[in-house]
Amino acid sequence: FQCLCFLCFKDFDNVCLNFDVTTYGNIETVTDTISKCRVRIFYKGMNRNRTYISDDFANQLISSLPYAPIKGIFNYGEVDFEDHGEDNTDGRIYGIVPENPNLSWEDHEDEDGVVRTYACVDVLIFTGLYTEANAIIGKSQSMEIYPPSIKGAWKIINGKKYYVFEEGHFLGL
């Protein structure tokens, strides 16, 4: 499976901005066309992609979550999502983060055996409008930070080089 919105800027000071986002829990029918589920978005501190998310930056991301789209390009041949596209006009919006996303910080044991505390929110998926939107549920996705909003610098933390975000906000999930 490839991420719904894979984003990696090779030309942005070699910063890779791929953060996994995972849908989990039970899907709840809201209307005939909309379903609700939870997503695990990011955790603070040193990330596996060599970036660092501080408390301040986490708060900026969280404040930009309401109305963030859930966007992707569906490959009907592979019956899976490919990515978000090269251009913001590529792909389709398959859902949205609601105005009040029910944020909570939840512990989760990752595949590497480490328990991390993730920012988790509710999302609305247009499952009745687009049948392929049902493929989003229960799979790993990714988050996308709006490139013009990003400010930060490379710093050495515990002997390793990390990109420490200072500013930025969501473009979508």
Side-chain angles (χ1 to χ4, degrees):
F1 173 77
Q2 295 182 359
C3 292
L4 173 65
C5 295
F6 178 76
L7 179 64
C8 185
F9 292 103
K10 300 294 183 195
D11 59 339
F12 192 82
D13 290 335
N14 293 315
V15 178
C16 186
L17 300 175
N18 178 26
F19 291 85
D20 290 336
V21 174
T22 305
T23 57
Y24 67 96
N26 296 324
I27 187 165
E28 176 186 326
T29 300
V30 177
T31 68
D32 288 344
T33 58
I34 298 172
S35 298
K36 180 172 75 171
C37 67
R38 297 283 290 167
V39 293
R40 191 177 303 117
I41 305 175
F42 67 90
Y43 56 91
K44 297 183 230 178
M46 296 178 282
N47 281 263
R48 292 173 285 240
N49 67 354
R50 303 301 282 249
T51 61
Y52 184 88
I53 296 178
S54 67
D55 288 340
D56 287 341
F57 185 66
N59 289 334
Q60 288 178 49
L61 288 177
I62 290 165
S63 71
S64 69
L65 264 172
Y67 306 112
I70 298 165
K71 183 176 176 280
I73 297 174
F74 192 75
N75 181 325
Y76 290 93
E78 297 291 324
V79 192
D80 211 343
F81 288 90
E82 293 178 338
D83 59 28
H84 63 85
E86 295 293 320
D87 185 306
N88 287 338
T89 61
D90 294 340
R92 175 178 279 163
I93 293 176
Y94 287 98
I96 194 165
V97 178
E99 179 180 12
N100 297 308
N102 190 24
L103 172 76
S104 63
W105 290 93
E106 300 176 18
D107 289 340
H108 174 73
E109 184 176 343
D110 290 331
E111 289 183 18
D112 61 5
V114 176
V115 175
R116 294 178 176 92
T117 304
Y118 283 84
C120 300
V121 299
D122 292 336
V123 294
L124 301 174
I125 308 290
F126 305 141
T127 50
L129 186 58
Y130 305 113
T131 56
E132 66 270 24
N134 290 284
I136 293 171
I137 311 303
K139 291 190 176 182
S140 292
Q141 317 296 329
S142 67
M143 68 180 209
E144 185 176 351
I145 301 172
Y146 185 53
S149 73
I150 298 171
K151 291 183 183 172
W154 286 100
K155 296 183 181 178
I156 304 297
I157 302 173
N158 294 337
K160 293 182 181 176
K161 196 173 185 180
Y162 286 85
Y163 188 83
V164 179
F165 291 104
E166 295 167 8
E167 293 181 22
H169 61 268
F170 281 110
L171 181 60
L173 303 179

